[in-house]
Amino acid sequence: MNRMQRPPAPDSEAVLEYLDGDFKIVRPGAYVRCAATGVPIPVDEIRYWNVDRQEAYAGPDAKLLSLGIKR
């Protein structure tokens, strides 16, 4: 983000493109929703995602839950 851009509103949902080992911000926002649980994940805290499904997960347990594996 440069000085001419406004920071995203705290209640706006971002749109990301998930890549191998990284992601690209398509539409800026403060968070994305976990595909398994629906909880908001701050963009700077995203650590788990699926490139093929293009979805983010709140943590390793949510990732396993999305695959139908219960711990």
Side-chain angles (χ1 to χ4, degrees):
M1 181 179 334
N2 64 37
R3 290 187 292 161
M4 302 303 282
Q5 293 176 316
R6 289 186 331 210
D11 60 345
S12 65
E13 189 166 352
V15 175
L16 306 179
E17 179 182 352
Y18 301 100
L19 309 169
D20 290 325
D22 201 5
F23 54 83
K24 181 171 80 171
I25 298 175
V26 176
R27 186 180 72 215
Y31 67 92
V32 296
R33 294 237 172 240
C34 174
T37 64
V39 301
I41 311 164
V43 171
D44 60 344
E45 294 180 17
I46 299 170
R47 302 287 183 266
Y48 302 92
W49 62 84
N50 185 311
V51 174
D52 296 329
R53 294 182 180 187
Q54 289 294 295
E55 22 183 65
Y57 307 106
D61 291 336
K63 168 97 173 166
L64 291 174
L65 182 62
S66 75
L67 299 172
I69 303 168
K70 294 182 183 180
R71 285 179 74 175

